[in-house]
Amino acid sequence: GGIITQTPKFLIGQEGQKLTLKCQQNFNHDTMYWYRQDSGKGLRLIYYSITENDLQKGDLSEGYDASREKKSSFSLTVTSAQKNEMAVFLCASSIINERLFFGHGTKLSVL
Amino acid sequence: GDSVTQKQGQVTLSEDDFLFINCTYSTTTYPTLLWYVQYPGQGPQLLLKVTTANNKGISRGFEATYDKGTTSFHLQKASVQESDSAVYFCALVYTNAYKVIFGKGTHLHVLP
């Protein structure tokens, strides 16, 4: 078996701050994803990457950057945190597109 | 564009009650349909999947049927337990595509 590790688990930022979330997987999966989860809005795709150094925008990419420098890691940057923003960011990886393996999430709060 | 709709934001049941979570989809062709479950403090995990080839998915007592006529993919379980309390997401994905489209989720709360 494998595991997806997201760091940090909790992230508190200030308005306008640049914040980086990290994700590591040891499944050796090619494809990795970043989803944002808001209460009542489900999971929305921010970025995904089908291989090392590849980046594809999802529906919610504005305000975010991503980086996939190694097959095992995928990072997400909030370019300018919005005041009172609160959401959970979920990283996932897959070898078959139907079955995504998710991490436990990073919970973001912006003061 | 393609979408999945879950109208029930929250469902509260007692143990041994019958579970029915509504999901409808809107697509131009026939994708693979999925149900994911998210337990507290964890990420979502695949519960079951159904394609047009097999028509019905069953896992851990949960089942869902691919209904092209009503474009629905409802999740059912005959008798829920307190441990089934979680958020359930309906989703769809196309073969050879990377993007999984999720519904808004239904929070199931089972009372002991």
Side-chain angles (χ1 to χ4, degrees):
Chain A
I3 191 167
I4 304 267
T5 303
Q6 290 188 239
T7 56
K9 290 184 180 177
F10 300 96
L11 183 56
I12 299 174
Q14 302 288 331
E15 184 182 11
Q17 195 176 1
K18 189 174 183 179
L19 303 166
T20 298
L21 293 68
K22 294 187 183 294
C23 176
Q24 294 271 342
Q25 54 103 353
N26 63 359
F27 287 101
N28 200 34
H29 288 164
D30 286 319
T31 309
M32 295 187 74
Y33 305 79
W34 276 107
Y35 278 88
R36 174 176 166 138
Q37 182 173 17
D38 294 273
S39 179
K41 292 186 180 178
L43 304 176
R44 293 180 289 173
L45 183 62
I46 305 172
Y47 268 97
Y48 66 99
S49 166
I50 61 176
T51 189
E52 186 178 325
N53 292 318
D54 175 74
L55 290 175
Q56 307 285 337
K57 291 183 178 182
D59 298 320
L60 208 65
S61 61
E62 190 170 333
Y64 302 94
D65 287 328
S67 174
R68 182 97 183 269
E69 294 175 352
K70 292 192 300 184
K71 185 176 182 178
S72 62
S73 66
F74 194 29
S75 63
L76 180 73
T77 298
V78 180
T79 56
S80 179
Q82 301 298 304
K83 188 175 174 64
N84 296 324
E85 183 175 7
M86 188 177 294
V88 175
F89 292 84
L90 291 164
C91 176
S93 71
S94 74
I95 194 164
I96 301 173
N97 62 355
E98 301 143 356
R99 186 169 188 177
L100 272 57
F101 291 86
F102 283 89
H104 287 192
T106 292
K107 189 169 184 178
L108 171 67
S109 297
V110 181
L111 304 177
Chain B
D2 298 332
S3 65
V4 287
T5 301
Q6 292 179 251
K7 291 186 177 178
Q8 300 155 290
Q10 183 154 314
V11 172
T12 301
L13 298 171
S14 298
E15 278 200 324
D16 298 323
D17 279 352
F18 172 72
L19 171 68
F20 180 91
I21 299 179
N22 183 288
C23 172
T24 56
Y25 62 92
S26 175
T27 60
T28 53
T29 57
Y30 297 118
T32 295
L33 299 174
L34 313 164
W35 278 100
Y36 274 78
V37 57
Q38 183 179 29
Y39 297 105
Q42 298 182 23
Q45 56 184 271
L46 183 65
L47 177 60
L48 57 84
K49 73 170 188 181
V50 180
T51 66
T52 52
N54 60 14
N55 225 41
K56 189 170 193 170
I58 300 174
S59 174
R60 305 185 230 168
F62 292 89
E63 65 176 69
T65 301
Y66 202 137
D67 189 331
K68 293 180 190 174
T70 59
T71 62
S72 66
F73 185 56
H74 309 314
L75 183 69
Q76 302 180 65
K77 188 177 186 186
S79 175
V80 292
Q81 302 304 304
E82 191 179 359
S83 58
D84 293 326
S85 296
V87 181
Y88 292 82
F89 293 96
C90 179
L92 67 86
V93 67
Y94 289 101
T95 304
N96 299 323
Y98 294 95
K99 185 177 172 181
V100 178
I101 298 171
F102 287 89
K104 293 185 178 181
T106 298
H107 192 165
L108 172 65
H109 184 44
V110 181
L111 302 171

